[in-house]
Amino acid sequence: MATNDNGWKESLKSKEAFNDFITNYFQDHKELKGHYDNPSYYEYYTVRLDSRDGLVISLTTGMNATGAASSPLPFKDKEKMSIEDFRQLILNKKFADMHTSLADVFQIVAGLPTDKNDKK
């Protein structure tokens, strides 16, 4: 299975193909990092594949400090999800943009705004 930006879409057609794609992706990349931030809010995520837990998504969320005000400590969360549960989540989201990358999918599934939707 190819690991190009759109290869993941083809792999969604079967549980086995998607499992192979994700496994191969994380053998090549070890982890996937992404973030979203604006003047008042930030969120960072890291996704890795664990042989026991499946996909492990670590999120760090917080408020950016403004002026002399102190910001609260960031909130950290860790989610575990099987590869098949992730595939089902993607299938149920019905990603319409043919140019969506796997990183974009992780960002959307995590509920983070995308740059495309965030522009004012």
Side-chain angles (χ1 to χ4, degrees), residues 2-3 6 16 18 21 23 29 31 33 48 60 63 66 70 76 78 80 86 90 93-94 98 101 103 107:
T3 57
N6 292 320
E16 294 79 15
F18 190 70
F21 180 86
T23 302
H29 296 92
E31 65 183 11
K33 292 183 176 186
R48 64 180 176 77
T60 302
M63 304 300 282
T66 56
S70 62
K76 295 184 179 186
K78 188 176 282 188
K80 297 175 184 174
F86 183 61
I90 292 171
K93 285 269 189 184
K94 309 256 188 258
M98 291 302 292
S101 71
Q107 183 170 338

Side-chain angles (χ1 to χ4, degrees), residues 45-47 55-59 77-81 106:
Y45 68 91
T46 303
V47 183
L55 294 168
V56 179
I57 305 164
S58 301
L59 297 166
D77 189 23
K78 188 176 282 188
E79 298 287 333
K80 297 175 184 174
M81 178 182 296
F106 277 112

Side-chain angles (χ1 to χ4, degrees), residues 20-40:
D20 289 346
F21 180 86
I22 292 294
T23 302
N24 291 335
Y25 180 89
F26 282 102
Q27 283 177 348
D28 292 343
H29 296 92
K30 303 299 176 211
E31 65 183 11
L32 175 69
K33 292 183 176 186
H35 73 281
Y36 169 79
D37 57 49
N38 64 33
S40 61

Side-chain angles (χ1 to χ4, degrees), residues 1-2 14 31 50 60 71 78 86 92 94 107 111 117-118:
M1 179 72 47
S14 85
E31 65 183 11
D50 182 277
T60 302
S71 69
K78 188 176 282 188
F86 183 61
N92 291 328
K94 309 256 188 258
Q107 183 170 338
N117 297 333
D118 190 44

